[in-house]
Amino acid sequence: MDKKKVAVPLVCHGHSRPVVDLFYSPVTPDGFFLISASKDSSPMLRNGETGDWIGTFEGHKGAVWSCGLDTNALRAATGSADFSAKVWDALTGDVLHSFEHKHIVRACAFSEDTHLLLTGGLEKVLRIYDLNRPDAPPREVDKSPGSIRTVAWLHSDQTILSSCTDMGGVRLWDVRSGKIVQTLETKSSVTSAEVSQDGRYITTADGSTVKFWDANYFGLVKSYDMPCTVESASLEPKYGNKFIAGGEDMWIHVFDFHTGEEITCNKGHHGPVHCVRFSPGGESYASGSEDGTIRIWQTGPLTNENTEALPANGSTGKVKVTAEEVSRKIEGFHIADEGKSGEKEEAGNE
């Protein structure tokens, strides 16, 4: 037990204010990517595997509360306190569309087919923008009962879900009729709602509870009490056997999905954790904090043989990673926490 190694994350510096949202793209031919939203008004794009900085999206004039990437990671979307949601070219960093709102935009999400953008915020209105006709007025879905905190698409873009800042529950809306078809009841306000990669579960964090809901029949599958108030939770996408949660105690807790037992606890942030997300292959997960850093943690546990077999596996220094290399790495391995000091530093050198 004493030999249990301390997890050494990749630490990604760059934001000057708290990191409040993180989003991983699916695996693309060029690897997978991580976008972060921060109160510093400058969302950043990174290589999802190494944490290396790729670019910063410049143009918002207020805190950015929400961020996302489309299925191919070719476009990014952000929602901001400057009363706008923006869609960006993720290759050049240029603004493609800027959608003005009448209040703070707290949440945004691309549809699975990438043609639509869903937004919500303090106006209490869910809007769907058609990105093929960006000048057309957006479709406004039936008024939300409160200020919108999270939004997501499910059921092949036939359903949208949303939670509110000032009341409990997650509401599900039928996109065609624009009406609420189901409410998942929670005591506290839901600060994080994630649809699992296979579409089976909705993972929610409310107060000091993480819940898993059946995404098709809407029943509560599991509910676990957390050691503190948690702001975000994410289910491991590949096997669905563990989940992570982060919140007020500054730690990233890893739990067994089936029993709710804590498997491990990662310490390193110097402020409350606002967002946690698993990478698309489940080999790592990222956390964003009040301390302005993003930390990327390897899922493990790895055996000693693996650790020795992977000497820093090409992710120290400023590496140029080719598409095949990224794809090959994603298919075949987990990075061990080798090269500790160099590894920790490398993601911060942009």
Side-chain angles (χ1 to χ4, degrees), residues 177-230:
S177 69
K179 298 284 177 246
I180 295 177
V181 289
Q182 188 78 32
T183 300
L184 312 179
E185 300 291 352
T186 65
K187 275 204 199 74
S188 308
S189 161
V190 170
T191 49
S192 163
E194 173 191 77
V195 180
S196 66
Q197 203 167 279
D198 60 9
R200 278 177 64 189
Y201 297 112
I202 299 165
T203 305
T204 61
D206 73 291
S208 55
T209 315
V210 172
K211 295 184 172 72
F212 298 92
W213 310 81
D214 185 303
N216 298 303
Y217 301 103
F218 308 120
L220 180 61
V221 180
K222 309 238 178 232
S223 177
Y224 295 123
D225 291 328
M226 296 287 109
C228 70
T229 300
V230 294

Side-chain angles (χ1 to χ4, degrees), residues 160-350:
I160 53 181
L161 69 76
S162 171
S163 71
C164 297
T165 311
D166 38 14
M167 63 184 69
V170 172
R171 278 149 286 279
L172 294 122
W173 318 68
D174 180 292
V175 173
R176 272 174 303 207
S177 69
K179 298 284 177 246
I180 295 177
V181 289
Q182 188 78 32
T183 300
L184 312 179
E185 300 291 352
T186 65
K187 275 204 199 74
S188 308
S189 161
V190 170
T191 49
S192 163
E194 173 191 77
V195 180
S196 66
Q197 203 167 279
D198 60 9
R200 278 177 64 189
Y201 297 112
I202 299 165
T203 305
T204 61
D206 73 291
S208 55
T209 315
V210 172
K211 295 184 172 72
F212 298 92
W213 310 81
D214 185 303
N216 298 303
Y217 301 103
F218 308 120
L220 180 61
V221 180
K222 309 238 178 232
S223 177
Y224 295 123
D225 291 328
M226 296 287 109
C228 70
T229 300
V230 294
E231 203 173 320
S232 185
S234 181
L235 180 62
E236 195 280 325
K238 210 162 184 187
Y239 304 107
N241 55 358
K242 57 181 80 159
F243 68 94
I244 48 174
E248 278 182 0
D249 67 2
M250 311 188 212
W251 301 344
I252 318 301
H253 300 271
V254 184
F255 298 93
D256 183 292
F257 171 76
H258 302 289
T259 65
E261 281 175 44
E262 187 164 311
I263 299 167
T264 187
C265 172
N266 291 323
K267 304 177 182 183
H269 281 297
H270 303 293
V273 175
H274 294 307
C275 42
V276 293
R277 284 295 177 257
F278 264 104
S279 66
E283 63 283 287
S284 59
Y285 48 94
S287 53
S289 162
E290 184 72 19
D291 66 16
T293 67
I294 300 160
R295 286 165 197 258
I296 298 177
W297 312 80
Q298 300 312 314
T299 302
L302 295 174
T303 62
N304 290 339
E305 302 90 81
N306 282 3
T307 311
E308 278 141 30
L310 293 169
N313 220 331
S315 54
T316 50
K318 291 301 277 182
V319 281
K320 297 280 182 285
V321 186
T322 65
E324 314 83 79
E325 205 176 332
V326 171
S327 314
R328 199 167 63 239
K329 284 184 187 173
I330 291 163
E331 283 156 19
F333 82 114
H334 300 24
I335 309 178
D337 56 75
E338 32 19 70
K340 291 179 181 164
S341 53
E343 188 84 346
K344 262 202 310 194
E345 289 303 314
E346 67 84 20
N349 294 337
E350 72 273 10

Side-chain angles (χ1 to χ4, degrees), residues 67-80:
C67 58
L69 292 162
D70 70 11
T71 312
N72 308 307
L74 297 176
R75 290 176 301 179
T78 51
S80 169

